[in-house]
Every structure is written in structure tokens, then in C-alpha cells.
Amino acid sequence: MALQPLVMGIPPVRSPRGPRRRRPAKLHGGKGYDYPYLRRWLRARHITPRIARRGIENSQRLGRHRWVVERTMSWLGGCRRLHRRYERKPEHFLAFTAIATSLINHRRLTN
């Protein structure tokens, strides 16, 4: 499952006071992440899992948080070069992704 490397790869966040935060307080996820071992793994790291349970809960409660991610992915999908991965080297793809996010941020800040 890709969730564990994703959580382990979160860099420390600088806070205005005190030490840097090394982990998120809670994690929001869809029904695809509803596995007991993932919930146990998150709780062992003192992260509150907010994961919709399969067959019990409706995942629409996560819509507020999911919308931000889906909107951003849609903006990146508007960059045709990133829509299909033409580059063979991952460094080139990451560079084009960085350029696309910079352009998106520039457009958002100037409007």
C-alpha cells in the first residue's frame, strides 16, 4: 500500500513556536484505505485516521478535504505536457511538474 511511504515521506513542518512537527495530527482518506493494519499503523504513530469505513459510512463527509486535492490535480491535468508522461527520466517529469505548479501559483496570485 502506498500510504505508508507517503506518510513516512512527509517532511518536517516549521512552526512559529516550538520544535518542528514531524507528523500530521490526522489523516483523511477514502474507502480504499480502510484496512485494519493501516489504522493500527497510523494509531501507533499517534495519527488519528479519518477514513471512511467500507459498507458503513458514506465517503461524502470527506468531500471538503478531497475537493482541494482533486481541484489541484485537475489544474495539473490542464498542462498538456503532464497529462501524458512523455519524458523518460523521472527528473525531467518532476521538473515539468515544478514548472506547472509555479505557473498555477502565479496565476492564482495575480488574479
Side-chain angles (χ1 to χ4, degrees):
M1 182 68 55
L3 181 68
Q4 293 171 336
L6 177 70
V7 172
M8 296 299 287
I10 296 173
V13 178
R14 184 177 301 272
S15 60
R17 294 184 310 180
R20 293 180 177 198
R21 293 184 57 193
R22 301 214 177 264
R23 61 178 171 76
K26 56 188 171 181
L27 182 128
H28 294 269
K31 293 180 183 184
Y33 298 106
D34 185 28
Y35 292 101
Y37 75 93
L38 285 177
R39 289 180 183 272
R40 283 192 304 270
W41 185 81
L42 289 169
R43 285 190 186 107
R45 281 150 186 77
H46 305 290
I47 300 172
T48 306
R50 305 275 184 169
I51 300 172
R53 293 177 287 178
R54 287 180 279 182
I56 298 173
E57 288 181 298
N58 190 355
S59 60
Q60 288 182 350
R61 286 183 23 194
L62 299 171
R64 299 180 293 179
H65 307 285
R66 180 180 282 168
W67 180 80
V68 175
V69 176
E70 290 179 0
R71 175 196 64 194
T72 306
M73 295 307 291
S74 173
W75 287 344
L76 284 173
C79 301
R80 283 182 269 157
R81 180 96 185 186
L82 296 176
H83 189 63
R84 299 200 191 262
R85 187 172 172 181
Y86 293 112
E87 291 76 29
R88 294 180 187 221
K89 294 184 179 180
E91 297 88 18
H92 294 173
F93 181 74
L94 288 175
F96 280 116
T97 305
I99 292 170
T101 54
S102 300
L103 286 173
I104 290 169
N105 287 332
H106 175 71
R107 288 181 200 140
R108 294 280 297 169
L109 292 173
T110 56
N111 288 339

